[in-house]
Amino acid sequence: MGRACAVRTVRDGGDTRTARTAKPKEDGPDLPGAWSAYGVLLRHLRKRAGLNQQQLGDAIGYSLEQVASVEQGRRPAKVAFTAAADRALEAGGVLEVLQEEVDRAKLPRFFRNFALFEAEAVSRSDYEPLLVPGLLQTEEYARALFAGHCPPLSDEVIDQHTEARLGRQKLLTRVPLAELSFIIGEEALRNPVANREVMRGQWRYLLEVRMARNVEVQVMPAEYGFHPGLNGPFVVLETREHQHLGYIESQEVGCVAHDPAVVSAFGLRYGKLRSQALSGVESARLIERLVGEA
């Protein structure tokens, strides 16, 4: 697996380079390019409309400082900001077109490439032994994880990462529906990464989301012993073009696997895990017991 991911391909427009030679555009303290591009466009539209920053802020219900921060690319625009600015500036939806890129740039940098594939997936299978998968996390659970990050994140970055994670959950209900399968280690459910109230809310949400006809949630019992998932978490994904990809992540290093042999091995392991995990009904009973014990 390490060999398969040793040299990743970086695609930027039509330019293809290896990760060894490509210099990321956002090294160091640089802000995401999508935020800067959005800010440049907002400034152009504001000036075209003959407004200063204070006037635009008054028109859309935001402060001068907030408008200035968005224009300078220091703060990402939220959906409500974009909708209001688009109307006030009679922009014809051009700002709304950029909103998805602005939101994606809130994600941790190592995950953004995979997020592009994930958003277009027709199926996604996720094995996670230690934490509730991101697509199934409640806001409180996700925020607790980001708050415990080492080194510590600022409150603003915690907010951005949490918003981005919740935004990814549109995949659960997106039309056309994607087929989604999750296998969660029992240890992940019992691990008190947050207080009891947050954990209880997370367990209840799992019971709720599993009722969707395109979502399957299974639990891998802690007492099972050896199984193919002991090497760590992974995702198998099928794109709209029916290309199959794998994804692994550890210590804030993410790798998208394209090699058919590697992805096939992921698929075989996931199939084995599905057969060894508790059924959907048995998994729900276990989660219900956790709620009752809380």
Side-chain angles (χ1 to χ4, degrees):
M1 184 57 60
R3 183 178 180 182
C5 297
V7 179
R8 291 187 296 109
T9 299
V10 178
R11 292 180 176 85
D12 184 9
D15 182 22
T16 301
R17 299 164 292 171
T18 63
R20 288 175 179 169
T21 58
K23 180 177 176 57
K25 293 184 177 180
E26 296 170 17
D27 278 348
D30 294 345
L31 294 165
W35 298 359
S36 298
Y38 181 103
V40 169
L41 179 58
L42 178 65
R43 185 182 307 114
H44 168 74
L45 293 171
R46 174 179 59 77
K47 289 183 175 180
R48 187 185 69 175
L51 301 176
N52 60 35
Q53 292 178 338
Q54 183 65 65
Q55 290 169 329
L56 176 59
D58 292 341
I60 64 177
Y62 287 84
S63 69
L64 167 64
E65 192 278 331
Q66 287 172 312
V67 173
S69 293
V70 171
E71 284 196 358
Q72 294 165 15
R74 294 187 288 108
R75 175 180 295 174
K78 295 187 177 183
V79 173
F81 180 103
T82 294
D86 212 278
R87 288 193 302 269
L89 298 174
E90 298 181 355
V94 295
L95 289 173
E96 293 177 338
V97 169
L98 285 177
Q99 187 64 47
E100 186 174 345
E101 291 300 320
V102 170
D103 289 341
R104 185 176 294 114
K106 297 176 186 176
L107 290 164
R109 188 177 303 162
F110 67 87
F111 189 77
R112 293 175 195 165
N113 283 345
F114 182 69
L116 291 169
F117 295 112
E118 181 184 73
E120 302 294 326
V122 297
S123 71
R124 187 184 187 282
S125 301
D126 188 335
Y127 170 67
E128 177 56 70
L130 299 178
L131 296 170
V132 172
L135 288 178
L136 301 183
Q137 291 175 7
T138 63
E139 178 177 352
E140 295 77 13
Y141 184 97
R143 190 174 294 278
L145 295 182
F146 289 125
H149 189 275
C150 183
L153 303 174
S154 69
D155 290 344
E156 185 175 14
V157 171
I158 290 172
D159 288 343
Q160 291 168 7
H161 285 354
T162 302
E163 289 171 6
R165 179 159 296 179
L166 297 178
R168 287 174 51 218
Q169 295 178 4
K170 291 184 291 186
L171 184 62
L172 297 171
T173 55
R174 186 208 66 199
V175 178
L177 291 173
E179 190 68 29
L180 304 173
S181 172
F182 302 89
I183 301 175
I184 310 171
E186 183 179 347
E187 297 93 336
L189 298 178
R190 295 187 180 276
N191 186 11
V193 299
N195 63 47
R196 182 63 66 175
E197 183 178 351
V198 170
M199 295 304 300
R200 187 186 300 112
Q202 179 63 73
W203 297 328
R204 286 174 173 165
Y205 180 66
L206 291 176
L207 293 172
E208 175 186 336
V209 75
R210 67 171 289 273
M211 300 303 294
R213 67 178 185 273
N214 64 315
V215 178
E216 182 179 35
V217 177
Q218 294 178 261
V219 176
M220 177 61 73
E223 62 190 23
Y224 195 91
F226 179 82
H227 58 75
L230 293 181
N231 285 337
F234 64 94
V235 175
V236 182
L237 181 147
E238 181 181 2
T239 70
R240 188 174 295 174
E241 292 75 29
H242 304 294
Q243 178 186 10
H244 290 82
L245 305 172
Y247 178 73
I248 55 174
E249 177 186 313
S250 179
Q251 297 295 331
E252 298 185 344
V253 176
C255 177
V256 180
H258 298 266
D259 187 326
V262 173
V263 179
S264 175
F266 281 7
L268 289 173
R269 291 171 194 153
Y270 197 83
K272 188 79 168 180
L273 288 168
R274 290 186 78 170
S275 70
Q276 294 174 330
L278 299 178
S279 70
V281 172
E282 292 169 332
S283 297
R285 289 173 181 160
L286 186 151
I287 298 172
E288 287 169 351
R289 289 198 298 272
L290 292 175
V291 174
E293 294 170 3

